Amino acid sequence: MTEFGFIDHIAALCGDLPLNSFEGIGDDCAAIEIGGGESLLFTADLVCEDVHFLRSASSAFDVGYKSLAVNLSDVAAMGARPVATLLSVSLPKDATEEWAEEFMRGYHALSKRYGVALVGGDTTRSASRITINVTAIGRMATSKIKRRSAAREGDVIFAGDVLGASGGGLNDILRGHPDTRLADLHRRPEPQIEEGLWLAEREEVHAMMDISDGLASDIRHIMEQSHVGAELDLGRIPVAEGVDLKTAATGGEDYKLLFTADPDRAKELMRDFENHFHRPIHPVGRITRGDKLRWMRNGEAVELDWHGFTHY
Amino acid sequence: MTEFGFIDHIAALCGDLPLNSFEGIGDDCAAIEIGGGESLLFTADLVCEDVHFLRSASSAFDVGYKSLAVNLSDVAAMGARPVATLLSVSLPKDATEEWAEEFMRGYHALSKRYGVALVGGDTTRSASRITINVTAIGRMATSKIKRRSAAREGDVIFAGDVLGASGGGLNDILRGHPDTRLADLHRRPEPQIEEGLWLAEREEVHAMMDISDGLASDIRHIMEQSHVGAELDLGRIPVAEGVDLKTAATGGEDYKLLFTADPDRAKELMRDFENHFHRPIHPVGRITRGDKLRWMRNGEAVELDWHGFTHY
């Protein structure tokens, strides 16, 4: 069964369960309102050895760091501040004490940097291979939550940073070159936490999510949830140094923000972002009527069959 | 490294992280206050193939059911109502579509029974073996939370039900008899959700937790958190039908409640519980001064070296 087939099965089977005041199937996080106009947000991600990382190609520190980073990115993708995590780790006999301690140092370093509490979890043996699950909890003003469903026809589509570095790094690792700058970025991605918090304050930002499966794949989530189409301009996709356009458009695990904004305020948003972060955001296309994704070059539609990426 | 060695390492390393209004390291769940005098509670548990279950000895339905049951038990152990879960599952190629669907039917059946929402999670491939992580969220009045740290000298120690059925069932499975009544109870334990909610309303109930590693092991958590000792009376330990006393005292995965109560109100508590649930609770000993666990028989201390259990 494919991952998406299983998700569809779960959704169909569990459609009769109560919601208990939670919302958010379809977004990066589930959310529940608490007092004082605030909400708590929840997300969980599994990291599996030999699927998401190779012990031979990533240090234990990097695995710890990245296990948390991918979850903090989901929290940032809705504009929330990450406040706590629960960490579950299963370790086989061939994972040494040193590996486990170095893993925790990576996890701790990123927790510390963003002031995230570690409030629970589980540790256990595994019969083979390391598996990690991180559940991250975010907190934010309910009125400022950014959802995938909020894109409007005419919106400018933005990428929060250059794309493809992680995909290029994965290619390097698979080709036997694990020591490149791009491979480092694949092993230790930088989620846009502060950027997500900043963008949450901007009313002209409508839909938001993070790019984990590649722009070509993830834009479809915004389209589906917002019931819109999209045009992506091949000439405007911000390509990370050292990778090609297709990798930038389809490579996964960049963990950069993807968002849409009111076209009348897009220039102001770009200017204010650059003034604040000293880096630009990148307009890559626009939201259209309908339900189609079109790739554009010099104003002309181009036939392309680009999709998301797969892991190891 | 042992599981507990790793936990100690994590606790030491992460001691400098902020708490962000969460509390609860040392309890079955972490908790955060929300508005209206309520708190949300969080717990996570990993379930690993060939450690926590054998695909040859448990149906997929049972694995789904039990993965949720152990987490609901942690929520119940503090007196909370389980309101939502996040479910992460990694499936190897040799786990069929039928296995995944049957797993979800077990998970769904128990979710439905207790009205628990499924609000998120992750599905992914694994290179080998099935791993499951469930994060459960509970909700309750903050003033009624039952903690491991609340036991007082003189308290009566209670088991919420007979003990040892799951341990006996595990023994049956390991001996090649997977079709016994006890093996069924091992594969499909009944967490005491309603009992936990009822006990949370009783002020005379002080400390509470669930028995997951065996009475002999878990009572030590209450002792440590409450800075007290305990006497357990071998003649009063409620032994499940078909198992021996040692299995009842040390067998894991019963997921029954363990709690302490004011001795002056213990009889009333026992009577009211039995009137409500038509089953008794079982006084098994008392909380003492100091930090020692003593096993008693006919009022005399007995030397025993009984500890908790290990998985497959």
Side-chain angles (χ1 to χ4, degrees):
Chain A
M1 174 156 21
T2 67
E3 181 182 335
F4 294 109
F6 189 35
I7 292 172
D8 288 345
H9 173 76
I10 294 171
L13 183 66
C14 294
D16 66 343
L17 294 178
L19 293 172
N20 295 338
S21 309
F22 284 80
E23 59 145 330
I25 291 289
D27 272 310
D28 290 273
C29 298
I32 187 170
E33 281 200 71
I34 59 174
E38 287 190 300
S39 288
L40 290 181
L41 285 76
F42 306 95
T43 183
D45 271 298
L46 275 172
V47 179
C48 301
E49 183 176 0
D50 294 333
V51 175
H52 302 97
F53 71 94
L54 306 174
R55 234 188 290 176
S56 60
S58 288
S59 72
F61 187 99
D62 287 343
V63 176
Y65 182 100
K66 186 168 177 176
S67 298
L68 179 57
V70 304
N71 279 279
L72 297 191
S73 183
D74 282 327
V75 170
M78 297 184 75
R81 179 173 296 284
V83 290
T85 63
L86 294 94
L87 169 64
S88 299
V89 187
S90 69
L91 294 172
K93 283 205 182 112
D94 63 3
T96 62
E97 193 162 331
E98 288 68 36
W99 196 95
E101 291 185 3
E102 192 64 15
F103 169 88
M104 279 313 304
R105 275 193 280 277
Y107 195 91
H108 172 264
L110 191 61
S111 298
K112 182 94 180 159
R113 179 160 148 209
Y114 290 111
V116 183
L118 176 58
V119 299
D122 193 14
T123 63
T124 180
R125 275 193 300 121
S126 82
S128 64
R129 295 194 170 84
I130 298 161
T131 305
I132 300 135
N133 186 84
V134 177
T135 301
I137 305 174
R139 185 169 185 157
M140 70 183 297
T142 303
S143 62
K144 293 178 176 167
I145 293 176
K146 301 297 187 191
R147 296 181 176 82
R148 295 176 178 181
S149 57
R152 302 177 201 169
E153 188 186 337
D155 274 4
V156 177
I157 302 168
F158 284 99
D161 203 343
V162 295
L163 301 177
S166 182
L170 175 60
N171 287 338
D172 287 349
I173 291 168
L174 293 177
R175 286 190 203 114
H177 302 296
D179 298 325
T180 66
R181 185 183 55 83
L182 292 174
D184 281 345
L185 289 170
H186 174 74
R187 284 182 295 251
R188 217 183 285 188
E190 288 288 334
Q192 298 194 288
I193 313 291
E194 295 299 338
E195 292 86 342
L197 288 167
W198 189 90
L199 290 164
E201 298 292 326
R202 305 288 296 214
E203 275 185 14
E204 68 268 38
V205 174
H206 296 156
M208 188 155 76
M209 65 179 297
D210 74 330
I211 302 179
S212 55
D213 292 335
L215 172 63
S217 177
D218 285 327
I219 188 65
R220 293 175 211 267
H221 294 299
I222 287 179
M223 292 162 54
E224 277 164 26
Q225 295 293 322
S226 296
H227 306 290
V228 294
E231 288 180 0
L232 291 173
D233 188 339
L234 290 166
R236 308 199 75 164
I237 291 172
V239 181
E241 200 186 322
V243 306
D244 59 24
L245 176 61
K246 185 174 180 185
T247 300
T250 64
E253 303 203 339
D254 275 321
Y255 302 108
K256 303 304 181 187
L257 295 171
L258 176 65
F259 54 98
T260 79
D262 185 331
D264 295 335
R265 299 164 72 183
K267 281 218 168 100
E268 182 192 350
L269 180 71
M270 290 171 70
R271 191 193 61 219
D272 290 352
F273 185 99
E274 185 149 3
N275 282 340
H276 189 82
F277 289 104
H278 310 294
R279 279 180 296 102
I281 52 175
H282 306 269
V284 296
R286 65 184 192 90
I287 296 295
T288 59
R289 191 186 298 248
D291 60 2
K292 294 278 186 295
L293 173 61
R294 292 201 300 176
W295 297 95
M296 309 295 288
R297 191 187 297 278
N298 303 325
E300 303 277 326
V302 182
E303 281 297 319
L304 281 180
D305 188 27
W306 285 0
H307 294 283
F309 97 119
T310 50
H311 298 284
Y312 290 103
Chain B
M1 175 157 20
T2 66
E3 180 182 335
F4 294 109
F6 189 36
I7 292 172
D8 288 345
H9 173 75
I10 294 172
L13 183 67
C14 295
D16 67 343
L17 295 178
L19 292 172
N20 295 338
S21 309
F22 284 81
E23 59 145 331
I25 291 289
D27 271 310
D28 290 274
C29 299
I32 187 170
E33 281 201 70
I34 58 174
E38 287 190 300
S39 287
L40 290 181
L41 285 75
F42 306 94
T43 183
D45 271 298
L46 275 173
V47 179
C48 301
E49 183 176 358
D50 294 334
V51 175
H52 301 97
F53 71 94
L54 306 173
R55 234 188 290 176
S56 60
S58 287
S59 71
F61 186 99
D62 287 343
V63 176
Y65 182 101
K66 186 168 177 176
S67 297
L68 179 58
V70 303
N71 279 279
L72 298 190
S73 183
D74 282 326
V75 170
M78 297 185 74
R81 179 174 295 285
V83 291
T85 63
L86 294 94
L87 168 64
S88 299
V89 187
S90 69
L91 294 172
K93 281 203 183 116
D94 62 4
T96 61
E97 191 162 332
E98 288 68 36
W99 196 96
E101 292 185 3
E102 192 64 15
F103 169 88
M104 280 312 304
R105 274 192 281 277
Y107 195 91
H108 172 265
L110 192 59
S111 298
K112 182 92 181 162
R113 180 161 147 208
Y114 290 111
V116 183
L118 176 58
V119 299
D122 193 14
T123 63
T124 180
R125 274 193 300 122
S126 81
S128 64
R129 293 193 172 85
I130 298 161
T131 305
I132 300 134
N133 185 84
V134 176
T135 301
I137 306 174
R139 185 169 186 159
M140 71 182 299
T142 303
S143 62
K144 293 178 176 167
I145 293 176
K146 300 298 186 190
R147 296 181 176 81
R148 295 176 178 181
S149 57
R152 303 178 201 167
E153 187 187 338
D155 274 4
V156 178
I157 303 169
F158 284 99
D161 203 343
V162 296
L163 302 178
S166 182
L170 176 59
N171 287 338
D172 286 348
I173 291 168
L174 293 176
R175 287 190 203 113
H177 302 295
D179 298 324
T180 66
R181 186 184 53 85
L182 292 174
D184 280 346
L185 288 169
H186 173 76
R187 285 182 295 251
R188 215 183 286 188
E190 287 288 334
Q192 297 194 288
I193 313 290
E194 294 298 338
E195 292 85 343
L197 288 167
W198 188 90
L199 290 164
E201 298 291 327
R202 304 290 296 215
E203 276 186 12
E204 69 269 38
V205 174
H206 297 156
M208 189 156 72
M209 64 178 299
D210 73 332
I211 302 179
S212 54
D213 292 336
L215 172 63
S217 176
D218 285 328
I219 188 65
R220 293 175 211 267
H221 294 300
I222 286 179
M223 291 162 54
E224 277 163 27
Q225 295 293 322
S226 296
H227 308 289
V228 294
E231 288 179 359
L232 292 174
D233 188 339
L234 290 165
R236 307 198 77 163
I237 291 173
V239 181
E241 200 187 321
V243 307
D244 60 23
L245 176 62
K246 185 173 179 186
T247 300
T250 63
E253 303 204 339
D254 274 323
Y255 302 108
K256 302 304 181 187
L257 294 171
L258 177 64
F259 54 98
T260 81
D262 185 332
D264 295 336
R265 298 164 72 183
K267 282 220 168 98
E268 182 191 351
L269 180 71
M270 290 171 69
R271 190 193 61 220
D272 290 353
F273 185 99
E274 185 148 2
N275 282 341
H276 190 82
F277 290 104
H278 310 294
R279 278 180 296 102
I281 53 175
H282 306 269
V284 295
R286 64 185 191 92
I287 296 295
T288 58
R289 190 186 299 249
D291 60 2
K292 294 278 186 297
L293 173 61
R294 292 201 300 176
W295 297 95
M296 309 295 286
R297 190 188 297 277
N298 303 324
E300 303 278 325
V302 182
E303 281 298 318
L304 281 180
D305 188 27
W306 285 0
H307 293 284
F309 98 120
T310 50
H311 298 284
Y312 290 102

